[in-house]
Amino acid sequence: MGFAGKVWKFLVGVKDALVLVFMLLFFAALFAILTARPSPAAVRDGALVLDLDGVIVEERSEVDPIAALLATSAPIAEYQARDLVRGLDAAATDDRITAVVLDLDRFLGAGQVHLQEIGAALDRVRAAEKPVLAFATAYTDDSMLLAAHASEVWVDPLGGAVVAGPGGERLYYGNLLDRLEINARVYKVGEYKSAVEPYSRSDMSEAARQNYSELYGALWEEYLANVKKARPAADIERITGDPVGWIEAADGDLATAAEQAGLVDRLGTRQEFEERVVELVGADDWSDEPGAFPSTEMAAWLEDNPLDTPGKPIGVVTIAGEIVDGEAGPGTAGGDRIADLLDEALAYDLAGLVVRVDSPGGSVLASERIRNAILRHKANDIPIAVSMANLAASGGYWVSTPADRIFAEPETITGSIGIFAVIPTFEQAAASLGVNSDGVRTSPLSGQPDVIGGFTPEVDALIQANVENGYEDFLDRVTAARGLTREQADRIGQGRVWDGGTARQIGLVDQYGGMDEALAWVAQQAKLGDDWHPRYLGSQPTGYDTLLRNLLTDDAETGQGNDVVATFALRRAAVLGRIESDLDRLMGTRGMQAYCLDCPAPLTAVQDRDASSGWLSSLIGLLAR
């Protein structure tokens, strides 16, 4: 008994020690959470630093602490475009900020509309006679478009700049699915609805090729025009027309080639760049490190410059990311969550509503739930505007139809009015393994749908009819909203995707403009004058979320100091993520979809996916046998 008593005391001691440890960890975490908020005291006279070590998004997603801890890679930093614009505009008029430093060394990208909005804000800083300096080891399309608005663009001598343009090849799984004896049953309406082509073909259809040639051509023209406007001396035609000749003329030195072509102004290391900033804003008296300058981070700057809230509120609801059923988000447009936000806002006495859309679409049911929630606000006789960001396609256009006025930019991708569904069945694979199905039916639908035994012709016909009916519903909403005939709506529908400029010409969009223009229009319609403020519906990122990102983000994961070759290699992760996303879309449980699969995927959806797990690893294992 003495031995047992000692063991018991030992176990009790271990238990007490563990309790104490967990209590200490709990209170340490609580203290960190409560103090995670940036302090306005961190604002210093000198440079405002935008260290963009991640992606720029419309709506920042929340970090799931459990998923983040179990993931094999750190979460990628996200920066809301509207926050960056607000911070830059405040810096333009505040004497404490004498320069803006744009650190793009680990920048992973943004949509073209967001880049233009931030670029315009950088132009306003420069108009206030404050220099903007950009630095990166390697510039690609997105970072170059942003840096083009800087007064000085620096590149590391071992780096460079490469502009590739939109477009490229995507993956088609038709032959693979045939090899695996998986029958991808495709139901669609729309000649141009190419979202299902990767599952039924081994190449792009001519209709899809025509559509995307026109779309990417228009976006490319806008990109080139914007870079040329920001940097008139840049020889962008030579850079993109003869990239090999351009590089060979500089003996393969990408940094020198970029300087000779006018993409960058100066070659220098980070320390040399920082010493240049010191020349402009002075040295940091708090630091003995070479090149240290007094600076303010964007988070602290925003905390010191809160939004003004004068007058009546104009509601702003954000529909960002794929539209899905349920409560998903922020960063993903959960239909139930957004509808609930809109319904709660019915009690806020809003003077108007702006619906900000940055989505390739998704679930038809979720899109319709959001549309109905917007209509409940419209029933209150308040003006409603839609502001389209980078993407407002398929379901993203479905939710836009209740608007009194639709704003978009020339670089916005919209349209894709069409419906599809795809369901895999495994009757051939089962038969090849010696598994057969048989039984008794009392009707053609008995035991259906049967993903192992296959669908009956009646089930195929039923699903196709339902998809066709969904397309007619889509057309009804477009014709009622845009004053078009059914024939006109069908002609510009059929799943075809449009750039914002063409969308305006054919009547899908009313006028060019972003959030500011949409808010101003609503204020004018509501006769508010200047006595109003935007009220963003939904929760903002918390200090807890910020703390988790700071704790979990690893510089190595975002490619710190990448040269051009390493930057190209980083795209491997995006490709693997796209493969898994495609397979998940095939194998996942989804209803009718109004989704633009060929539209650029939301950046976080590509980057955050662990490409070594799930269907991708299973498929690789299967093919390796």
Side-chain angles (χ1 to χ4, degrees):
M1 291 297 293
F3 177 78
K6 291 178 181 179
V7 171
W8 176 252
K9 289 181 179 179
F10 173 78
L11 294 176
V12 170
V14 170
K15 183 263 293 181
D16 291 339
L18 288 174
V19 169
L20 179 60
V21 168
F22 279 115
M23 287 182 65
L24 290 173
L25 289 174
F26 171 80
F27 285 110
L30 181 62
F31 174 79
I33 291 169
L34 293 175
T35 58
R37 211 171 170 80
S39 171
V43 173
R44 301 180 61 197
D45 292 3
L48 175 64
V49 176
L50 276 69
D51 184 4
L52 301 179
D53 55 347
V55 294
I56 295 172
V57 297
E58 181 62 39
E59 183 180 49
R60 185 169 151 181
S61 61
E62 292 182 347
V63 175
D64 181 337
I66 303 301
L69 290 171
L70 294 177
T72 58
S73 60
I76 288 172
E78 297 176 353
Y79 304 89
Q80 290 187 157
R82 68 172 181 264
D83 291 340
L84 298 177
V85 171
R86 177 165 67 88
L88 288 169
D89 284 340
T93 58
D94 195 309
D95 292 338
R96 292 174 294 175
I97 301 300
T98 53
V100 169
V101 171
L102 198 58
D103 189 340
L104 300 172
D105 212 21
R106 296 170 294 173
F107 182 49
L108 294 177
Q112 212 164 318
V113 169
H114 287 154
L115 293 171
Q116 277 298 99
E117 292 172 346
I118 297 165
L122 291 170
D123 290 342
R124 292 191 287 273
V125 172
R126 293 181 60 183
E129 299 184 350
K130 299 182 180 184
V132 176
L133 293 89
F135 177 86
T137 303
Y139 291 98
T140 54
D141 295 34
D142 290 359
S143 54
M144 195 67 251
L145 181 55
L146 206 54
H149 294 271
S151 47
E152 291 185 23
V153 181
W154 286 62
V155 69
D156 190 284
L158 296 180
V162 175
V163 178
E169 297 184 349
R170 69 152 299 135
L171 298 173
Y172 290 80
Y173 308 100
N175 290 340
L176 173 63
L177 294 176
D178 287 343
R179 176 182 172 184
L180 297 176
E181 297 184 303
I182 297 174
N183 184 8
R185 295 175 179 268
V186 170
Y187 312 90
K188 70 166 187 170
V189 181
E191 179 184 2
Y192 297 93
K193 197 62 181 175
S194 56
V196 292
E197 287 188 358
Y199 308 121
S200 60
R201 297 177 59 94
S202 58
D203 59 1
M204 179 178 281
S205 69
E206 286 306 311
R209 189 179 304 280
Q210 174 195 349
N211 186 191
Y212 285 97
S213 295
E214 295 172 357
L215 174 67
Y216 289 138
L219 296 178
W220 183 226
E221 287 181 8
E222 288 292 333
Y223 180 93
L224 295 175
N226 290 330
V227 171
K228 196 69 176 177
K229 180 180 178 182
R231 294 187 69 79
D235 190 0
I236 196 72
E237 291 82 6
R238 181 187 180 199
I239 295 165
T240 58
D242 183 20
V244 175
W246 164 55
I247 297 301
E248 288 181 346
D251 296 325
D253 188 329
L254 288 171
T256 300
E259 184 182 31
Q260 291 175 348
L263 283 182
V264 303
D265 299 302
R266 300 182 63 173
L267 276 57
T269 64
R270 178 175 288 276
Q271 182 175 334
E272 291 169 333
F273 171 77
E274 291 171 344
E275 289 170 352
R276 170 58 178 156
V277 179
V278 170
E279 293 177 9
L280 297 172
V281 305
D284 188 354
D285 296 333
W286 297 1
S287 174
D288 295 328
E289 293 184 9
F293 55 89
S295 63
T296 300
E297 297 293 332
M298 180 59 79
W301 182 246
L302 291 171
E303 188 70 21
D304 193 57
N305 289 271
L307 278 170
D308 293 331
T309 56
K312 295 206 68 174
I314 295 175
V316 179
V317 65
T318 302
I319 302 171
E322 183 176 351
I323 299 173
V324 299
D325 299 304
E327 299 288 342
T332 300
D336 291 348
R337 178 181 63 85
I338 294 174
D340 289 344
L341 289 175
L342 286 163
D343 286 343
E344 290 170 8
L346 290 170
Y348 296 166
D349 191 26
L350 299 177
L353 179 68
V354 173
V355 182
R356 178 68 165 177
V357 183
D358 192 21
S359 171
S363 164
V364 170
L365 290 176
S367 300
E368 178 65 0
R369 172 135 200 221
I370 295 170
R371 189 188 78 92
N372 285 330
I374 297 171
L375 287 174
R376 287 192 281 275
H377 281 267
K378 195 166 187 175
N380 285 342
D381 198 27
I382 62 172
I384 296 177
V386 161
S387 171
M388 295 179 171
N390 305 293
L391 277 170
S394 283
Y397 197 86
W398 185 297
V399 299
S400 301
T401 54
D404 300 308
R405 197 157 191 84
I406 295 179
F407 293 79
E409 300 289 4
E411 300 90 347
T412 299
I413 299 173
T414 188
S416 192
I417 298 168
I419 303 287
F420 75 89
V422 56
I423 304 173
T425 58
F426 304 89
E427 60 272 27
Q428 295 170 342
S432 68
L433 296 172
V435 178
N436 299 295
S437 63
D438 198 1
V440 175
R441 295 192 180 102
T442 56
S443 80
L445 300 182
S446 295
Q448 293 290 319
D450 185 349
V451 296
I452 300 299
F455 291 180
T456 63
E458 291 81 2
V459 170
D460 280 330
L462 184 151
I463 297 174
Q464 180 62 34
N466 189 233
V467 168
E468 291 174 3
N469 180 257
Y471 179 64
E472 291 299 323
D473 288 341
F474 204 158
L475 291 184
D476 287 344
R477 284 149 181 72
V478 173
T479 56
R482 308 305 303 166
L484 302 172
T485 65
R486 194 267 180 201
E487 290 71 24
Q488 289 173 323
D490 184 46
R491 188 163 55 248
I492 62 179
Q494 292 289 318
R496 190 162 186 171
V497 185
W498 307 92
D499 64 278
T502 306
R504 184 184 178 190
Q505 295 173 11
I506 61 178
L508 289 178
V509 168
D510 293 303
Q511 71 181 75
Y512 293 144
M515 272 294 297
D516 289 344
E517 289 76 15
L519 285 165
W521 181 87
V522 169
Q524 181 184 42
Q525 297 300 304
K527 300 179 181 178
L528 300 178
D530 295 328
D531 195 25
W532 59 272
H533 69 275
R535 177 168 180 172
Y536 290 91
L537 309 182
S539 60
Q540 299 300 308
T542 63
Y544 174 65
D545 181 85
T546 301
L547 174 67
L548 280 174
R549 287 184 187 275
N550 291 338
L551 289 174
L552 296 172
T553 299
D554 182 351
D555 287 346
E557 294 295 335
T558 55
Q560 184 175 11
N562 284 317
D563 61 15
V564 172
V565 175
T567 300
F568 283 168
L570 273 176
R571 298 189 178 183
R572 174 190 63 87
V575 171
L576 293 175
R578 187 62 184 259
I579 294 173
E580 184 156 359
S581 177
D582 289 344
L583 292 175
D584 179 66
R585 185 166 300 281
L586 173 65
M587 301 300 184
T589 303
R590 289 179 171 87
M592 285 193 301
Q593 297 286 296
Y595 186 89
C596 179
L597 192 61
D598 277 315
C599 294
L603 287 166
T604 51
V606 173
Q607 297 288 350
D608 284 349
R609 187 175 296 275
D610 181 359
S612 66
S613 63
W615 273 101
L616 181 57
S617 58
S618 300
L619 178 62
I620 292 173
L622 181 62
L623 295 178
R625 291 178 182 176

